[in-house]
Amino acid sequence: MCIMATLVGLSAAARAGTSEYDDFREVHRQGGDTAEMYAKREAIFEARQLQVATHNARHESWFLTLNRFADFTPAELAQTHGYKRAGGRAQGAESSFLQTGGDGSDSGSGNIDVSELAKTVDWTGRMNSSNFVHDQGACGSCWAHAAVAALEAHAELNGGIQGKLATQEIIDCSTNPRKCGGTGGCQGSTSEIAFQHAKKNGLQFLNGYKSGNCPKKPQGLNVLGFVRLPENKACHLQQALANVGPVVMSVDANNLHLYGGGVFSGCQPDTIVNHAVLGVGYGTDPKSGKDYWRIKNSWATTWGEKGYFRIEKGPQSEPDWYCGTDVKPQDGVFCEKHPATVRVCGMCGSLSDSAYPITGKILPLLQRAGLATKVFGRRVAKHIARVAGKVATKFSNASNLVVNVAKNHFTKF
């Protein structure tokens, strides 16, 4: 009790002359700190006050603000990321990629003409429930939140399926034996591994998953696979965002925590990619004239532009714009064995690693078949399964995979 009283007294004394920081704590940091930690956070806050004021006085294309991260220690800020690269990327037979070429390699890596694509794209205007902004908290699980946000978006766009998916299932149950992006869970992994889990096991909806109860058979949302875009190619990312839907992207988030709005362009070409996010569109900012990618983060709606941010896209006429070197590939999507450095392009390495899931228009039929089993019995469910397979064969770009999913899904009926 005496120790507690001493800490409270010291904390009160420390607060006497720091009303601005006290006001900040009232909003953003409930609960006490030791005198030592209070002083440390106060010093951090004051340094960031100066950083925000200095930056905003330059009137650049983005502004900074004193948000909830303003007194976070460097270690606490690092926990808001989620990539800890530990080696070379999964390739060949070990990957679960549904590639557009069908040969297990990345989709065609040459430059493509994007001049006829829409000048502005924003998928949030076509979605409802999947516009929900995730909050990863202090868990280094950006990889899971970005992947699940992509799955929610594509399920709604392609199949009309609305609802929050169980991100915690991905965090709890995704296996990462090669330590790609980290050791798994809150210690980092990759969105491709999250997609791989969803392809193999399905993904339950939020209200159907009990923490730690990993599925023993496929259930929930069925995922057919995913496409990994060529590295460092803006044209491929733009084409996917224009024609397919939201895309998981990777960025260096070290300078993003105090972002308040505008088009961010505060990274150097040499950058360390450490954070997974969801690209939802692109456009041109009328105030600065800069082209941008619009991106959903996983730091809640109180951050940035209501949970989103815009990052400079670069000129369309320069396919290799803003390229540099990532000197710590172990902090991103690489696995146990990795090169010493990797080439990254785009502001904050935003073109370095991108992928999107394939959910397919077959999903509503699968759901209806499950309902038919309950209402009409096994025979009707099997008939709907056959119809689903025929529809997939006729209309899907990945027909064989869709048919197999349909058959596997209905083996339990």
Side-chain angles (χ1 to χ4, degrees):
M1 183 180 293
C2 292
I3 294 175
M4 179 68 72
T6 300
L7 291 176
V8 171
L10 288 172
S11 181
R15 291 196 296 268
T18 57
S19 60
E20 286 186 85
Y21 184 49
D22 286 344
D23 292 343
F24 172 85
R25 288 179 68 96
E26 285 291 327
V27 176
H28 297 289
R29 186 171 293 281
Q30 303 299 320
D33 277 323
T34 64
E36 180 181 4
M37 180 55 73
Y38 183 97
K40 183 176 182 179
R41 292 194 187 281
E42 178 188 6
I44 291 172
F45 177 81
E46 290 176 350
R48 290 181 180 146
Q49 268 189 315
L50 179 60
Q51 177 188 352
V52 168
T54 301
H55 171 83
N56 290 346
R58 295 198 292 264
H59 301 289
E60 298 192 39
S61 59
W62 79 101
F63 67 92
L64 302 181
T65 188
L66 291 170
N67 56 28
R68 66 184 173 114
F69 297 124
D71 71 344
F72 273 41
T73 66
E76 289 170 336
L77 290 179
Q79 289 178 328
T80 66
H81 303 158
Y83 276 161
K84 295 179 178 62
R85 283 182 182 162
R89 294 172 64 167
Q91 296 181 11
E94 296 184 17
S95 76
S96 66
F97 307 145
L98 173 62
Q99 306 295 347
T100 57
D103 59 358
S105 61
D106 286 345
S107 56
S109 59
N111 292 324
I112 55 178
D113 182 12
V114 296
S115 61
E116 299 300 319
L117 296 178
K119 303 305 179 186
T120 301
V121 171
D122 189 347
W123 287 98
T124 61
R126 309 184 200 184
M127 300 186 297
N128 184 15
S129 65
S130 53
N131 285 329
F132 165 73
V133 176
H134 292 223
D135 184 1
Q136 68 182 82
C139 174
S141 55
C142 64
W143 59 278
H145 287 277
V148 171
L151 289 167
E152 290 168 338
H154 283 263
E156 180 174 357
L157 290 167
N158 296 330
I161 300 172
Q162 299 189 30
K164 297 178 182 178
L165 295 170
T167 307
Q168 195 61 45
E169 178 187 331
I170 295 291
I171 297 170
D172 292 343
C173 307
S174 295
T175 58
N176 188 9
R178 294 182 59 200
K179 300 180 181 178
C180 302
T183 56
C186 290
Q187 303 307 311
S189 187
T190 73
S191 294
E192 287 94 339
I193 285 176
F195 289 147
Q196 188 173 26
H197 170 88
K199 178 186 175 185
K200 180 180 179 181
N201 302 291
L203 184 59
Q204 298 179 69
F205 285 88
L206 181 62
N207 59 6
Y209 176 70
K210 296 181 180 179
S211 184
N213 187 20
C214 297
K216 296 181 181 180
K217 59 182 180 180
Q219 54 187 299
L221 177 69
N222 283 272
V223 178
L224 309 179
F226 56 95
V227 173
R228 187 173 68 191
L229 299 178
E231 298 171 24
N232 301 321
K233 295 290 185 180
C235 56
H236 287 266
L237 177 58
Q238 184 172 344
Q239 184 185 57
L241 283 171
N243 296 331
V244 180
V247 176
V248 174
M249 299 168 60
S250 300
V251 298
D252 177 355
N254 285 327
N255 295 318
L256 284 173
H257 292 95
L258 300 182
Y259 169 87
V263 180
F264 184 84
S265 58
C267 288
Q268 297 299 315
D270 292 340
T271 194
I272 297 172
V273 175
N274 55 20
H275 191 51
V277 290
L278 185 69
V280 296
Y282 59 85
T284 302
D285 179 46
K287 184 176 181 180
S288 66
K290 289 184 176 181
D291 292 337
Y292 62 81
W293 305 111
R294 186 166 190 244
I295 298 171
K296 180 163 71 171
N297 205 347
S298 53
W299 293 346
T301 56
T302 55
W303 177 87
E305 297 178 332
K306 297 183 179 179
Y308 292 76
F309 67 106
R310 289 173 292 157
I311 194 168
E312 188 171 5
K313 176 175 173 285
Q316 186 172 299
S317 59
E318 298 182 31
D320 293 322
W321 179 77
Y322 219 72
C323 294
T325 301
D326 185 338
V327 298
K328 290 186 177 180
Q330 69 275 15
D331 285 354
V333 298
F334 281 72
C335 308
E336 287 180 313
K337 296 180 181 179
H338 61 84
T341 63
V342 295
R343 185 172 183 261
V344 292
C345 294
M347 181 58 63
C348 302
S350 54
L351 304 177
S352 62
D353 187 73
S354 306
Y356 62 84
I358 302 292
T359 55
K361 296 182 179 180
I362 190 70
L363 289 171
L365 290 174
L366 295 176
Q367 285 195 328
R368 290 167 196 161
L371 178 63
T373 301
K374 295 179 182 179
V375 178
F376 300 110
R378 186 185 309 238
R379 182 174 298 178
V380 173
K382 288 184 176 180
H383 174 70
I384 294 178
R386 286 193 295 271
V387 172
K390 290 179 181 179
V391 171
T393 301
K394 186 173 182 180
F395 294 109
S396 174
N397 291 329
S399 58
N400 291 333
L401 283 173
V402 177
V403 172
N404 288 335
V405 169
K407 291 179 178 177
N408 292 335
H409 186 84
F410 290 103
T411 54
K412 61 184 179 182
F413 298 129

